[in-house]
Amino acid sequence: MDSRQKMRRLRIIVLVALAAAVLAAGFLVAANLGSQGQSRSGSQLPATAATTAPATTAPSASATASASTAATEEPTASTPATAGSGWASFVSTSAHVQFDLPSGWTAADVPAGTASNPASGIQVSDESGSVVAKFYYGTGGGVGGACGPGTYKQKELDTAATSLKGQWVTTAQARFSYRVLDQTAQGKGVGYQIGLVDKSSGEVQDSCLMYSFVAGAPKGTLSFATDGPQALGARTFSTMAEATQYLQTPEYQKLKRMITSLQLTQ
């Protein structure tokens, strides 16, 4: 074999070796890329599971109607319903009225009127069980009484609008009133009454009697008030200053809110 043939044979061997090396490197790169792809796909989170919030189902028409009915259903008589922090709403189905009632106070339907003069009555008591206000609504219920040898100076210390609605309320000029009778000169202290009045019963004038009621209501006379000074055992203040200071007491504020919140439900 001459030198030319040897050189050509050597070139062939070198080329074959280079080709084999290139093929081996290609397989190695491909294998590495494949393993990296598998690792990445294995660490990925399903896109839909990560970003899609659970679907919400809108309530059906029947469910919405039921919820609305439950929210607006009127409570039964003597059943308190929420009316604000520390307060409830007293509803009387027999007297057809409702009003705000302070926490700890109780209200109950009581007999009122007669067979010939039907009426409804409610009595409100405080935390100690003492009667603090009375409600009367119906026919009859007339007021009267005779004055003594003299009259007393009357003064109104507070007034406010009522929640009652209707043309009769406007006609009667119904409102809330806190009035006093100064009987200190006769040693009887300062008598008072807190309640609903109209243009007649609420007229401020010297007298020995005091009444709080509204005439001309749909079913007759309406009264929601504390006892007047002419009532047996009625409370009195020692001085006018004491009567004025009573305006700032929790008891007075409760009475005012309760009485002014009165509404007729029929």
Side-chain angles (χ1 to χ4, degrees), residues 7-210:
M7 290 296 294
R8 183 165 49 186
R9 193 172 183 179
L10 182 58
R11 289 195 201 101
I12 293 172
I13 292 171
V14 171
L15 289 173
V16 170
L18 288 172
V22 170
L23 288 173
F27 286 126
L28 180 60
V29 171
N32 288 337
L33 289 175
S35 64
Q36 289 177 10
Q38 291 174 358
S39 175
R40 289 174 185 169
S41 63
S43 65
Q44 289 176 350
L45 296 176
T48 54
T51 60
T52 304
T56 56
T57 304
S60 64
S62 60
T64 303
S66 299
S68 176
T69 301
T72 57
E73 185 176 355
E74 184 177 282
T76 58
S78 303
T79 300
T82 301
S85 177
W87 289 75
S89 180
F90 176 82
V91 180
S92 171
T93 55
S94 59
H96 304 294
V97 297
Q98 69 179 44
F99 52 85
D100 294 349
L101 189 68
S103 176
W105 288 21
T106 56
D109 295 300
V110 295
T114 62
S116 57
N117 291 301
S120 300
I122 298 173
Q123 190 166 277
V124 180
S125 303
D126 63 11
E127 299 91 342
S128 67
S130 299
V131 177
V132 293
K134 298 175 183 177
F135 169 86
Y136 177 95
Y137 182 33
T139 58
V143 296
C147 278
T151 60
Y152 310 117
K153 184 70 176 179
Q154 183 178 154
K155 185 177 182 180
E156 185 171 70
L157 299 183
D158 191 21
T159 186
T162 172
S163 297
L164 293 169
K165 304 296 181 183
Q167 183 57 48
W168 67 272
V169 179
T170 303
T171 302
Q173 297 178 21
R175 60 186 176 85
F176 167 87
S177 179
Y178 169 32
R179 294 167 298 149
V180 296
L181 281 178
D182 188 355
Q183 308 165 115
T184 53
Q186 289 76 24
K188 299 180 180 180
V190 179
Y192 71 96
Q193 188 167 36
I194 302 167
L196 299 178
V197 298
D198 60 19
K199 58 187 176 183
S200 176
S201 65
E203 186 177 2
V204 180
Q205 59 182 352
D206 294 351
S207 177
C208 64
L209 301 173
M210 182 184 291

